[in-house]
């Protein structure tokens, strides 16, 4: 029987990105997925953070896990990129 963490890690092996690395760790009954900027030196210079999201048991047991996982990881990569903006039109300047 495959554990939740093994299932997520096996799914993550299908993804490769030139800017980000993907990993996972157990977090209680959930699995925490970690998205990190690949170049750690640049990450520090740019002041970037690491992005985390949780896959809950209901997500891990979903019959369409592979598709829901793909949607989740794409949404989170998008959110992570948006969080990297230094300035936006919505920013209020004093």
């Amino acid at each position: 029987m495959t554990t939740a963490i093994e299932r997520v890690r096996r799914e993550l092996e299908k993804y490769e990105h030139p800017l980000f690395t993907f990993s996972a760790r157990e977090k209680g009954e959930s699995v925490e997925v970690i998205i990190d900027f690949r170049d750690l030196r640049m990450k520090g210079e740019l002041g970037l953070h690491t992005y985390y999201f949780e896959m809950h048991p209901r997500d891990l047991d979903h019959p369409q896990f592979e598709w829901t996982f793909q949607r989740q990881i794409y949404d989170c990569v998008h959110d992570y990129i948006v969080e990297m903006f230094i300035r936006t039109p919505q920013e209020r300047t004093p």
Side-chain angles (χ1 to χ4, degrees):
M1 184 173 161
T2 304
T3 66
I5 188 70
E6 290 170 335
R7 189 172 189 196
V8 170
R9 285 180 176 157
R10 188 173 48 232
E11 198 62 27
L12 283 173
E13 289 174 0
K14 299 176 184 178
Y15 294 85
E16 186 174 359
H17 194 282
L19 297 178
F20 306 112
T21 61
F22 306 100
S23 59
R25 63 185 177 199
E26 292 176 328
K27 187 174 181 184
E29 293 183 5
S30 300
V31 174
E32 186 171 59
V33 178
I34 304 153
I35 304 172
D36 216 351
F37 196 71
R38 186 174 292 278
D39 186 335
L40 296 178
R41 182 183 55 80
M42 286 297 296
K43 176 185 175 187
E45 288 178 17
L46 297 172
L48 302 176
H49 65 284
T50 301
Y51 192 98
Y52 302 90
F53 72 92
E54 284 186 45
M55 298 292 297
H56 300 282
R58 70 179 177 277
D59 303 318
L60 298 163
D61 295 336
H62 193 283
Q64 296 292 319
F65 168 75
E66 292 82 5
W67 293 108
T68 59
F69 182 83
Q70 184 177 62
R71 186 183 73 239
Q72 182 78 18
I73 200 162
Y74 285 2
D75 287 348
C76 290
V77 166
H78 174 267
D79 291 347
Y80 189 31
I81 290 171
V82 169
E83 290 175 9
M84 290 178 179
F85 274 100
I86 296 167
R87 185 179 61 235
T88 67
Q90 290 75 28
E91 183 178 299
R92 295 178 184 213
T93 54

